[in-house]
Amino acid sequence: MKKVFRILLNKYLLTAIAFIAWVGYFDQNDWITQQRKKSELQELKQNVVYLKAETAKMKAEKEAIVNDPKALEKFARERYHMKRDNEDVYIFE
């Protein structure tokens, strides 16, 4: 019993425990903050992948509008509600 008590009061062990507690919970960059930042980084990476896919889709749409007159007409009709002179446009929302 005396030997166990002596080991628990070892200054190096107490210093190591205090250091781990400080770094793990009391420091500015503690473990909880690191885990939160890690999850935020994962969300941002997923957002980057999504935005790159959206950018590629928009570039393809732009190329279609520039090169294909039918795609340009479809875009103008859908986005800006344009019509020909002899047509009526009904918008359902």
Side-chain angles (χ1 to χ4, degrees):
M1 182 70 174
K2 193 173 189 180
K3 193 171 190 168
V4 172
F5 186 67
R6 201 167 168 214
I7 291 173
L8 290 178
L9 289 179
N10 186 343
K11 63 182 175 182
Y12 299 111
L13 181 64
L14 292 175
T15 305
I17 291 172
F19 176 75
I20 290 170
W22 181 264
V23 171
Y25 299 103
F26 301 117
D27 193 32
Q28 181 180 3
N29 297 316
D30 61 349
W31 183 76
I32 296 169
T33 304
Q34 292 299 322
Q35 294 302 319
R36 193 176 312 127
K37 287 182 179 183
K38 192 177 194 180
S39 67
E40 183 180 340
L41 179 64
Q42 291 292 49
E43 289 176 15
L44 290 174
K45 284 182 180 179
Q46 290 173 352
N47 194 13
V48 166
V49 169
Y50 169 75
L51 290 175
K52 283 184 179 181
E54 286 294 313
T55 303
K57 189 169 75 171
M58 287 181 181
K59 283 182 182 179
E61 185 178 313
K62 177 187 171 220
E63 287 299 318
I65 290 172
V66 168
N67 296 327
D68 187 16
K70 288 183 181 180
L72 177 63
E73 182 179 352
K74 179 183 177 195
F75 179 79
R77 286 173 175 267
E78 289 176 357
R79 179 75 54 93
Y80 299 109
H81 308 296
M82 292 184 171
K83 64 180 189 78
R84 293 190 178 141
D85 290 335
N86 58 353
E87 292 179 335
D88 292 329
V89 176
Y90 299 100
I91 301 172
F92 297 102
E93 293 184 25

